[in-house]
Amino acid sequence: MTAISEPSTATTSPAGAAPAGATPAGPADTASARATARSPRLGGAVRVLLTADLLAAVGTGMTLPFLVVYLHAERGLSLSVAGAAAAFVALASFVGNPVGGLLADRVGPRATTAAGLLAAGAGAWALAGATTASQALAAASLSGFAVAVQWPASDALLARLVPEQLRATAFGARFATMNFGLAAGAVLAGLLVSGTQPSYVRLYLLDAASFVLAAPLLALVRLPDQRGPASPSADRSADRSVNRRADRSDDGRPSGDRRPGRSRRDRRRDGYRRLASDRGFRHLWLLTAALVTVGYGLFNSAFPVLVTVGVGLSAEVLSLAFAANMATVVVSQPIITRMIAGRSASSVLAAVAAVWAGTWLLMRIALLTEGAPAVGLVVLAAVTFALAETMLAQTVPALVNRLATDELRGRYNAGSALAYTTGFAVGPAVAGPVLDAGGGGVLLVGAAGCCCLLAWRATGLGRHLPTGTDTAAAREDTAGGAAPRARSVDLGEGLEMATT
């Protein structure tokens, strides 16, 4: 195989205007930025990575809704065991995220991503053969752990493959590609299990095959050389040596991070202590975890129950709502990219919370209606949710990788993934008892209120971030032409990147 490499990002300047006191971008930096802006593609290596993401997402889409049904209906295990297996997937993720970040920094993001994909394939294969409770629990744990290891490593890998000003675009393209894959997998699963005696085993075998086929593709990706003091992270460190906060060092990170005489290896060994002492990252982590709790956590758990039981609509309407959600993610990605260009990350996250507040208020109104108006409100709620999650998917990973240094990029992405994992777990845990008590309306009003509070809190996030990092994406045009315009990837290009 011939490795596909990306141009080194060592001479790429961060997007946006430089802080006061920073060294202005030189002719070489400006020329490099303009060349990036004119590039018709995010790059061949990104295309390969998106292809791997698409393959894995198709397999995941085939099995995602069926774990409990498969273990109970086809393997004859009790609902309590099947539910415990689903819980073990989530619990294993709490372990897998930090391990994935550590391995990405120590071994490398490409190797860790490939290992995670292969392990996820083994987990899916083990689930296909599980016939006892112990086998099901062990296979579910392996599956959850492997996917959680792969997540932060893959994010770190994507961040390394593109210059900083294109990261929001790259993460947006990945999010749209993965949603397309999940939708395609769900459609294929529906065709494969249709009939009077559906078999779910082949779904898990195909899921395993999708992971195993995706892993070797990463051998085609060669990471750019980021050595030397001119890397983006190093440039930001120099830029932040002025106007620093009293409790931060001259590289814009918590004091004590770069003590004299400490080598790059020593700083890497600091590991997760660095994340815990990074005030900006702490605030972003708490905000992300809270947003995911009242967003994804409720949408994945409470939304289906509210549609089918609360509003009293059919499963077909629920499927229509989810289809509308995924289609909106894919179609809106280039529009969202242009909308958030040049805006602060804190304002975009505030908008995410505000839109999700509107989503839950729409669902509250749907509980009071019936018939066609209720169907319309449910579908509209799913569409508005998709708009906000697309903004979130582009903004948080780009901001996390803007805060990260090269030697700790994997662990910063692992910390971010752990915020999502926390929200995925806390949301259902809160929603379940409330729904059992018949408090669907109270849950929706409370969720909308929490979203409004988070929108207010998000507006102040920029005060806790290092100078020059509170940016969602590069601006369309900047004075002097030093920063390239934000570039969107439309549906046709995104699918071409993932399928060619």
Side-chain angles (χ1 to χ4, degrees):
M1 292 184 178
T2 302
I4 300 174
S5 63
E6 293 301 313
S8 173
T9 58
T11 59
T12 304
S13 299
T23 303
D29 296 328
T30 303
S32 174
R34 287 174 176 169
T36 302
R38 291 193 299 268
S39 175
R41 293 283 189 266
L42 285 173
V46 174
R47 186 181 309 161
V48 172
L49 182 57
L50 290 183
T51 302
D53 288 336
L54 179 63
L55 281 172
V58 170
T60 301
M62 286 191 287
T63 59
L64 190 62
F66 296 120
L67 178 59
V68 174
V69 175
Y70 158 64
L71 292 176
H72 177 64
E74 188 160 342
R75 292 308 189 189
L77 301 178
S78 67
L79 282 174
S80 60
V81 171
F88 272 45
V89 173
L91 291 175
S93 298
F94 283 101
V95 180
N97 288 152
V99 172
L102 177 65
L103 291 176
D105 289 332
R106 295 287 179 85
V107 180
R110 183 181 60 177
T112 304
T113 302
L117 288 170
L118 292 173
W125 179 82
L127 279 170
T131 57
T132 66
S134 59
Q135 290 174 349
L137 294 177
S141 299
L142 174 59
S143 181
F145 176 81
V147 172
V149 166
Q150 179 264 342
W151 182 356
S154 183
D155 281 354
L157 178 58
L158 181 59
R160 287 278 301 274
L161 291 177
V162 294
E164 182 172 328
Q165 64 269 19
L166 290 181
R167 281 178 185 157
T169 299
F171 280 108
R174 161 185 274 178
F175 188 63
T177 300
M178 293 184 70
N179 269 268
F180 179 81
L182 290 171
V187 171
L188 289 174
L191 297 174
L192 291 173
V193 301
S194 61
T196 56
Q197 292 183 327
S199 174
Y200 298 97
V201 172
R202 54 185 170 181
L203 295 184
Y204 283 92
L205 292 175
L206 289 172
D207 188 19
S210 72
F211 285 118
V212 173
L213 289 173
L217 292 177
L218 299 180
L220 297 172
V221 178
R222 188 173 66 194
L223 289 172
D225 184 6
Q226 290 189 317
R227 293 172 298 176
S231 67
S233 297
D235 287 343
R236 285 197 308 275
S237 297
D239 291 343
R240 293 172 196 157
S241 61
V242 294
N243 297 329
R244 61 185 179 269
R245 298 183 184 273
D247 60 340
R248 304 186 75 85
S249 66
D250 62 357
D251 64 349
R253 306 204 178 276
S255 58
D257 282 349
R258 297 180 184 270
R259 294 187 294 272
R262 287 177 57 80
S263 67
R264 181 187 181 96
R265 178 176 297 181
D266 291 334
R267 295 196 301 270
R268 181 180 294 174
R269 286 174 178 170
D270 287 344
Y272 287 108
R273 290 196 300 268
R274 284 275 301 275
L275 271 69
S277 61
D278 188 330
R279 184 173 64 176
F281 183 80
R282 288 201 312 269
H283 280 84
L284 176 61
W285 193 97
L286 291 171
L287 179 61
T288 302
L291 282 172
V292 174
T293 298
V294 298
Y296 284 114
L298 297 185
F299 190 76
N300 293 338
S301 60
F303 183 79
V305 177
L306 291 168
V307 171
T308 56
V309 178
V311 185
L313 300 176
S314 65
E316 287 76 12
V317 174
L318 179 61
S319 298
L320 174 63
F322 279 125
N325 172 268
M326 291 184 179
T328 302
V329 167
V330 175
V331 174
S332 68
Q333 184 269 325
I335 302 172
I336 296 297
T337 300
R338 288 191 292 269
M339 285 178 57
I340 68 175
R343 301 184 184 276
S344 66
S346 54
S347 66
V348 174
L349 293 177
V352 169
V355 172
W356 276 347
T359 295
W360 301 132
L361 290 178
L362 286 172
M363 283 300 300
R364 182 65 185 94
I365 298 172
L367 289 178
L368 304 175
T369 59
E370 58 184 18
V375 172
L377 287 169
V378 166
V379 173
L380 181 59
V383 168
T384 57
F385 187 90
L387 295 174
E389 65 177 314
T390 304
M391 288 190 283
L392 185 73
Q394 296 193 40
T395 304
V396 170
L399 180 55
V400 167
N401 283 282
R402 197 173 296 121
L403 294 172
T405 56
D406 290 336
E407 67 267 17
L408 293 179
R409 192 170 302 284
R411 273 169 275 198
Y412 268 84
N413 281 282
S416 176
L418 195 59
Y420 278 81
T421 300
T422 300
F424 287 144
V426 174
V430 172
V434 177
L435 292 174
D436 279 341
V442 174
L443 177 66
L444 290 171
V445 172
C450 289
C451 287
C452 291
L453 178 62
L454 290 174
W456 171 70
R457 292 292 298 173
T459 58
L461 175 65
R463 296 194 300 270
H464 306 288
L465 298 175
T467 304
T469 59
D470 186 19
T471 306
R475 191 180 298 275
E476 287 286 334
D477 293 292
T478 49
R485 61 183 180 87
R487 193 182 158 275
S488 62
V489 179
D490 60 25
L491 175 61
E493 178 182 335
L495 296 183
E496 180 186 352
M497 290 176 66
T499 55
T500 58

